[in-house]
Amino acid sequence: MGNMMQKISRAGLVLVLIGIGLLAISLGDTAISFREPKSFEEILEAGIQPGDHVSGQVPFLLDTFASKQTWTENTSTHSATPKKTSSLYYVLPAGEYYVGLTVHAQDFSAANDLVDQTYSYLNGGNAPTSGLTLDTRVVEMDEELSAMFRDDLKEYYGYTDQELNDLKPFLMVEPRGFTAIRVFCGAGVAAILVGVILLVMRWRKISAQIRQSREEMPGPDLD
């Protein structure tokens, strides 16, 4: 057991573990990023599925159904920074149904303008021109947001409980930084490769040293 542990490169093992961690958080989204993206106009007509890559300008957007607030707590002073809204969750038309759309703080203004323009268009005004452009993935909505989304569809969009049950699982369209995710994935692969090389080199080096030391040990004196 001692010889085996001696043969393992700590640096190599750490690199392999780091690489596995990077792949765990990036591999799925990297695969999505290489899929042919659908436009938001396409999903408006045909709907979406989990794992879809959707990119481009959002043509229409309806009201928010939830928001996410963040803050920082200081445990030493038992204080917290003021709450800030970091994400808003909107209702997005998709095919015959609706899905959720996550919008982060930097796009709040464009998203709210698009909502106003959408309702103006529905009331006979001009087509929306707001420049809300996103690169996104499609995932199943989490349980907490699903409950709020369900209540919103029932209260404001006329869905019955049975219809909502048939719609499950609800889907969420989420913006993703696919370029950064690909970098993480590539770094993960590189870390694993370098780690494996270090592990193999260390294993061979120590194994050779052990063999050599055994060969140089004097044999028993039979005289």
Side-chain angles (χ1 to χ4, degrees):
M1 184 66 177
N3 285 341
M4 180 175 293
M5 294 303 296
Q6 187 180 9
K7 292 178 181 179
I8 295 176
S9 166
R10 293 181 181 178
L13 183 59
V14 169
L15 283 173
V16 169
L17 293 175
I18 290 173
I20 291 173
L22 288 172
L23 288 181
I25 64 174
S26 64
L27 189 58
D29 282 347
T30 298
I32 291 175
S33 76
F34 285 108
R35 293 176 184 168
E36 184 69 25
K38 298 179 179 180
S39 70
F40 282 93
E41 287 82 2
E42 287 181 72
I43 71 168
L44 182 64
E45 298 294 332
I48 52 176
Q49 297 294 328
D52 279 348
H53 179 193
V54 184
S55 183
Q57 185 168 327
V58 184
F60 301 102
L61 194 61
L62 302 176
D63 290 315
T64 60
F65 67 91
S67 64
K68 178 181 180 180
Q69 292 185 320
T70 56
W71 62 92
T72 302
E73 294 184 353
N74 188 326
T75 55
S76 61
T77 62
H78 303 287
S79 61
T81 59
K83 293 181 180 180
K84 294 183 179 180
T85 301
S86 58
S87 300
L88 291 173
Y89 303 100
Y90 292 82
V91 178
L92 177 71
E96 298 179 2
Y97 308 108
Y98 299 97
V99 298
L101 174 68
T102 302
V103 175
H104 299 311
Q106 66 269 21
D107 292 313
F108 284 173
S109 179
N112 290 331
D113 287 346
L114 181 55
V115 171
D116 292 339
Q117 293 172 14
T118 297
Y119 281 105
S120 175
Y121 174 73
L122 294 175
N123 289 321
N126 295 325
T129 58
S130 177
L132 179 60
T133 302
L134 301 172
D135 196 14
T136 68
R137 68 174 183 177
V138 181
V139 296
E140 291 187 10
M141 200 177 292
D142 67 39
E143 186 175 346
E144 183 178 3
L145 286 173
S146 289
M148 290 185 281
F149 189 63
R150 179 189 179 97
D151 291 343
D152 198 76
L153 292 183
K154 184 176 180 180
E155 183 172 357
Y156 298 108
Y157 296 88
Y159 280 88
T160 65
D161 287 327
Q162 183 58 52
E163 289 172 332
L164 291 169
N165 290 337
D166 293 339
L167 287 178
K168 285 187 175 180
F170 300 126
L171 301 181
M172 179 68 78
V173 181
E174 297 180 334
R176 301 296 284 172
F178 285 122
T179 299
I181 286 169
R182 290 177 184 177
V183 170
F184 286 144
C185 188
V189 172
I192 290 174
L193 289 176
V194 173
V196 168
I197 290 172
L198 292 177
L199 286 169
V200 171
M201 290 176 61
R202 173 75 176 180
W203 187 276
R204 289 179 175 177
K205 178 182 177 181
I206 300 302
S207 295
Q209 291 176 348
I210 292 174
R211 284 196 302 270
Q212 184 178 0
S213 65
R214 287 175 177 172
E215 291 171 358
E216 294 175 350
M217 290 177 63
D221 189 355
L222 300 179
D223 293 339

